Amino acid sequence: MNQCRLRSLARIRRSLTLGLRGTDQHVLARQALRTIQTTSQRRGVHDLDSFANGCSAAYIEGLYNKWKRNPSSVDESWNELFSSNDWSSPKRSPLQVSHSRKYRRPPVERIAVKARSGERTASGGASAAPAAPPSDWKNIDDHHVIQAIIRAYQSRGHLAADLDPLGIVGPKKRTSVDGTQRHAAREVLRQHFSYIFNDLNTVFKLPSSTMIGGDQEFLSLKEILDRLERIYCGHIGVEYMQITSLTKTNWLRDRFEKPGGLDLTKEEKKLILERLTRSTGFENFLAKKFSSEKRFGLEGCDIMIPAIKEVVDRATDHGVESILIGMAHRGRLNVLANICRKPISDILSQFHGLQATDSGSGDVKYHLGVFQERLNRQTNRMVRITVVANPSHLEHVNPVLLGKARAEMFQRGDTCGSTVMPIIIHGDASFSGQGVVYESMHLSDLPNYTTYGTIHIVSNNQVGFTTDPRFSRSSRYCTDVAKVVNAPILHVNADDPEACIQCARIAIDYRTRFKKDVVIDIVGYRRNGHNEADEPMFTQPLMYQRIKKLKPCLQLYADKLIKEGVVTDSEFKAMVSSYEKICEDAWAKSKTIKTIKYSSWIDSPWPGFFEGRDRLKLCPTGISTDTLKTIGNMFSTPPPPEHKFETHKGILRILAQRTQMVQDKVADWSLGEAFAFGSLLKEGIHVRLSGQDVERGTFSHRHHVLHHQSEDKVVYNSLDHLYPDQAPYSVSNSSLSECAVLGFEHGYSMASPNALVMWEGQFGDFCNTAQCIIDTFIASGETKWVRQSGVVMLLPHSMEGMGPEHSSGRIERFLQMSDDDPDVYPDTCDADFVARQLMNVNWIVTNLSTPANLFHCLRRQVKMGFRKPLINFSPKSLLRHPLARSPFKDFNECSCFQRIIPDKGPAGKQPDCVQKLVFCSGKVYYDLVKERDDHEQVETVALVRVEQLCPFPYDLISQQLELYPKAELLWAQEEHKNMGAWSYVQPRFDTALLKNENESRCVSYHGRPPSASPATGNKVQHYNEYKALITSIFGELTPENKKRIEDRIKKQQAKAKADAQSKPSTKPPAAPPKGGSSPPPAPTGPAPRKPLISLPSRPPRGGKQRSGSAPAPNLVDEDSAARNREPDASAYDGASPSAWKRSGSAPAPSVVPRASASRSPSRKSPSPSHDGISPSTRQESLSKKKSGSAPAPTPTSRGPFRTAPSNTEFIKRRPAKDYGSRNETQSTPGESELDPTKPQP
Ligand SMILES: Cc1ncc(C[n+]2csc(CCOP(=O)(O)OP(=O)(O)O)c2C)c(N)n1
């Protein structure tokens, strides 16, 4: 016995003596002990070449013959065996078995007694020698092997199960332990398969690890093997032994093994046949009527419909009221017709190629969403079924569906998934191939993302388009990904309808019982090509030769039931023709349909939200100073002292700074954000923020969740305790996924308009791993599916010398996908202009520069009369920038969101003196402010911030252009020329300029040159690029400028030194310097890779040629004065912009003067739009399309809000598992939490 085994034995013995008797662990330990003992005993015998060693028949035959010649020539054990069992009888061979039914009691107890009594061997050691007579050893081994065989079937029986209707992948019969031919061959029984039992009819006591006996404790070997074979190697292959929870494995074992547990009544069988008739009949009907149309039929997996129906029925019976289905193309129309009961005529009308009466792009028929509420006749309960609209991108609907389900649960106050249930239907190739499946699976058990179990159904047709599994995955099963969450996986042969229904039944019961994911893998085939027009013989000739010979499942099952006498042939024929008639009638009705409406295919209707609402009315977003103070005070106060919450000292310092800000009536970024969240919560709007590390904030600025410094899971979130009747606030660190988590939040936002749902990227750069969600759902979801979403993406973005993947949220991509026309100046800029512009665009893109604007922008998201995704590029260094602060008055009732922020300084006051009007967006503004100051050009250069890039604020831009008639026009950006907002704003500036007939100016570009990489990782290069940008706008610093700057720096350094000496202990954490831009020092490095260029914009399309040609590339010299002055970017570690190391002390917070609220100018003579389509036309059609929504959930506007929090609710204990208890075997308390028989938390 090796050291490892000895250690396990010792461990198990210890656990047995620790008084765990009667518990699961005790049973487990005993089983493990037995297994180990058996193995070791057998090993010992093996060394003596004994009978217990698995060996071949030929070998035993040889031994037997040897023994017959001379009994002492073989090992004593063989001698015993051959003599005691009368092997010498001429009629018997060692492989034959006797048929006497004799039971031999397992001798374990006797051995145990002997061992306990401390019998010693001759050597004086503990008794290790056989304590039982030699014949008992055989008996012991028999029992152990039986146990091992049972275990082998349980864990590996699926490998020999008969799952494939095509018989391509399937078990071959081999000689089993009892000498008969069985499916369970080497793969299942491995080392046991050739073990020799003397008597097939010997009766064994069944171990507690199996329920195959039902009420019987004893079964003959033959019966044991027969039952195991039937249960585990029939048409169901169940993978569940990987589950580490004994409760769950026992539950599943009980369901599968108990005799009669899988039997169905006559009525149930008849119902399956009826449903299968519908499923098959629907596809047959479509095939007949639209033979050349793509419909992605289900033929070969037709049983999927009755299986889903079984899940729906049983779930409804268990109390589920809302079922959400996510699925791709295959069988989707069938699901709509036979699961949702969408009128078949409506479905057929999609084949007629009709004109839509509402606007939008529409989508192909097998992507459309459906929302149906109906009475489930089987259970007589109402059920709401939603099939979420999905793009072609396989599996990407999964997280969206999960988010939607989670939000519905939240709205209903359902904290354990008892009323809402998600079902996801997968294809076999996509289930194993798409990474989003894995990402979504990992959300399944996270406290703020769980949907308390999803039913996954794989319509496994054993081919993906033209690729068969041998070439499309490395795992044995397409479902192996589900093992990461310990989900049971039920593989089932699609041609055995009863087995499929049983699996569906067990799956839904499992979900109800444990609130965990479960997978049903329906292994069938695809009768046609990928779509109905495809020729499958090109690529799968042998497979399709077999398929052609196969009878459809419906026919096979009907034959079976007729044979069993469950139905008669004529009854079956009547079933078929009755459904055909239903389809024919629907067909006739569909021909009367002349138009279609996209809005009747909506999956997330919000009728209560739109009714009676003036969509063009933008409600004010400002709030009272009192509210600001309440939120500010709460946000800056540590947990109440009575809770003895141990707060980190650094956090206390941050809170103290917040308190100071509230006293000074000024807000930094995190306070501005908190004002937005807190005020919405006060108004009953649920706020949810999710993403990687959002609780603290990637840049350590947010700190919404405070952690007790000496107790695990004890946290405090002040924003969740602002007001007694506030809406719940959910801020949650997510798994390290962008695609699934963004999809989830998008889905969450779809469920209700009365919530502010935000996803924050760690850095904006990483959002491209969620590109599919961005492209197919967020950018185009409303256009394709008439479905609105107000989801907010917060994407940290700015060039701070942090390298190519920590700099850019890719503004250009979002802007390029914006659907506002660059060439059309709005025909009217009336009072509704702002709202109409917002309503008509596919999403809003902002790059904000003040906390107040962030506050208004976030609040506007829920104040609009419609919902629109918001893509906001968030700052990094601005989070702590002393200039990036807003006074309280910028948040109050007379303030509002500023789409642009004009220059309010000397330049703005004397526009005629301004020589350069610089438009910019985001953080670069603060760089420009500082440099303008250093260059002493505050009167001649005006800086205008474009805060809302999309929709483009034409009206305000025009005002600015008119205000500075003599100024040269510049666009300044820190991004490379092929990135950032330039390619978006350039044509729009042109369009705005063209509006004025007397205008001859154009806007020139000032920024980094084009590049393949979003940013350099070299600090010197970063600095040089920065300098080039600045120089191209302001020119070189004069000697006087440099002298002034040097003097200022010296002064600052001296002051900092004095401050540090006078009060070292009270020094606040380092704050970035005034104008804290990112350029690093050491401009002694190489020159920029590409020179910065300053070019005039291209002439407007269709407009007159502008004067001025492109100046020569402008190479920039190093500036030694600036080198001394600039911060060290290396001090910025990415996690904390506060880590800026400066030679000077942090300047006192300064306040950005509030610019006046923007107003839509009233245009007297609006010019016609360039293409003749007025925005109002689109608006009208949009209003029409949005008004015709189907009935829907009408969640209370305030959701399941709690009443006033009691003091004890202030500190929360998180529902996450304890450290060290991730292993489910140890976490039985976690299971009991979800045990419906026990009180729910
Ligand atoms: C992300 C993505 N990649 C590729 C495709 C193209 N495509 C459409 S269906 C299909 C095969 C899917 O196979 P499977 O998941 O087994 O489903 P089936 O069509 O066989 O039911 C492919 C590759 C797609 N739609 N989405």
Side-chain angles (χ1 to χ4, degrees), residues 813-830:
R813 291 191 183 152
F814 290 92
L815 290 174
Q816 190 256 330
M817 280 194 277
S818 302
D819 69 354
D820 61 334
D821 194 329
D823 302 325
V824 179
Y825 194 89
D827 59 352
T828 167
C829 293
D830 58 14

Side-chain angles (χ1 to χ4, degrees), residues 329-330 392-394 396 427-431 434 459 461 463-465 526 530:
H329 50 286
R330 180 83 51 214
S392 287
H393 291 64
L394 297 165
H396 282 77
D428 53 316
S430 49
F431 196 43
Q434 290 291 306
S459 102
N461 54 24
V463 61
F465 207 155
R526 191 185 69 193
H530 173 61

Side-chain angles (χ1 to χ4, degrees), residues 151 208 256 281 427 436 493 536 562 592 613 626 683 768 846 859 920 936 950 1092 1204:
R151 174 96 188 171
S208 61
F256 278 103
V436 69
N493 188 318
I562 291 167
T592 64
R613 186 179 285 254
D626 277 353
E683 293 163 25
N768 54 12
T846 54
R859 283 179 56 79
C920 63
E936 295 185 282
C950 172
L1092 270 177

Side-chain angles (χ1 to χ4, degrees), residues 77-323:
S77 57
W78 286 111
N79 182 18
E80 238 176 75
L81 173 75
F82 294 149
S83 15
S84 68
N85 286 292
D86 190 19
W87 289 92
S88 54
S89 159
K91 290 180 197 149
R92 305 188 57 174
S93 84
L95 285 176
Q96 284 175 324
V97 289
S98 93
H99 295 278
S100 61
R101 295 186 62 84
K102 54 187 179 191
Y103 166 63
R104 282 181 294 153
R105 200 164 128 261
V108 178
E109 283 165 37
R110 203 147 34 103
I111 294 165
V113 170
K114 286 197 178 194
R116 271 202 301 275
S117 70
E119 266 187 35
R120 305 252 139 199
T121 59
S123 63
S127 178
S135 60
D136 266 11
W137 280 112
K138 165 72 176 143
N139 190 11
I140 292 166
D141 270 343
D142 282 358
H143 273 83
H144 287 154
V145 172
I146 288 291
Q147 193 164 357
I149 286 171
I150 292 171
R151 174 96 188 171
Y153 271 97
Q154 289 169 339
S155 53
R156 296 191 295 278
H158 59 88
L159 299 174
D162 182 10
L163 301 175
D164 179 11
L166 300 178
I168 298 170
V169 189
K172 287 173 189 61
K173 284 194 173 178
R174 291 209 190 92
T175 307
S176 183
V177 277
D178 58 350
T180 57
Q181 294 280 302
R182 291 181 185 279
H183 282 149
R186 247 171 242 269
E187 270 189 306
V188 177
L189 298 176
R190 290 189 186 157
Q191 70 269 39
H192 317 295
F193 83 103
S194 58
Y195 183 85
I196 295 183
F197 285 92
N198 296 336
D199 185 352
L200 198 59
N201 291 314
T202 305
V203 174
F204 289 89
K205 182 174 188 300
L206 295 170
S208 61
S209 58
T210 186
M211 283 87 167
I212 56 169
D215 297 337
Q216 292 170 276
E217 254 188 283
F218 307 99
L219 285 182
S220 71
L221 172 62
K222 181 176 182 318
E223 190 60 28
I224 290 171
L225 293 172
D226 280 350
R227 289 190 187 188
L228 290 170
E229 183 83 8
R230 254 198 325 272
I231 294 163
Y232 290 107
C233 305
H235 286 154
I236 298 176
V238 51
E239 281 187 277
Y240 69 110
M241 292 299 278
Q242 76 279 8
I243 300 174
T244 50
S245 153
L246 197 62
T247 321
K248 294 190 188 94
T249 44
N250 278 343
W251 186 93
L252 286 159
R253 203 177 276 152
D254 187 72
R255 290 297 298 266
F256 278 103
E257 290 188 349
K258 248 194 186 147
L262 301 183
D263 294 346
L264 293 167
T265 64
K266 262 185 166 189
E267 283 64 41
E268 287 171 331
K269 291 180 182 181
K270 212 167 157 183
L271 187 62
I272 296 172
L273 185 68
E274 271 171 24
R275 288 176 173 174
L276 192 56
T277 306
R278 285 175 164 263
S279 169
T280 310
F282 183 76
E283 298 295 350
N284 288 347
F285 183 80
L286 292 185
K288 191 169 76 185
K289 293 288 182 209
F290 313 101
S291 54
S292 58
E293 275 269 358
K294 277 189 201 172
R295 64 187 157 88
F296 296 103
L298 198 53
E299 295 100 322
C301 256
D302 326 54
I303 193 60
M304 189 178 88
I305 297 295
I308 301 174
K309 196 70 186 64
E310 181 69 22
V311 170
V312 170
D313 284 357
R314 232 171 151 83
T316 322
D317 209 24
H318 293 160
V320 171
E321 294 163 7
S322 174
I323 293 174

Side-chain angles (χ1 to χ4, degrees), residues 914-984:
V914 170
Q915 293 164 13
K916 285 182 182 172
L917 169 57
V918 182
F919 291 97
C920 63
S921 188
K923 174 225 143 202
V924 73
Y925 166 76
Y926 292 96
D927 296 337
L928 297 177
V929 166
K930 179 181 143 302
E931 298 293 347
R932 181 178 64 174
D933 203 31
D934 287 353
H935 287 75
E936 295 185 282
Q937 296 178 13
V938 285
E939 279 154 14
T940 53
V941 177
L943 298 175
V944 174
R945 283 169 272 177
V946 183
E947 301 277 296
Q948 177 181 293
L949 289 160
C950 172
F952 194 66
Y954 280 106
D955 51 340
L956 302 181
I957 294 288
S958 290
Q959 278 178 12
Q960 293 298 309
L961 294 172
E962 285 162 20
L963 189 64
Y964 302 92
K966 297 183 198 149
E968 180 192 341
L969 306 177
L970 289 78
W971 171 260
Q973 69 173 37
E974 54 182 1
E975 297 87 358
H976 288 277
K977 193 175 184 186
N978 53 332
M979 298 167 199
W982 171 239
S983 50
Y984 173 85

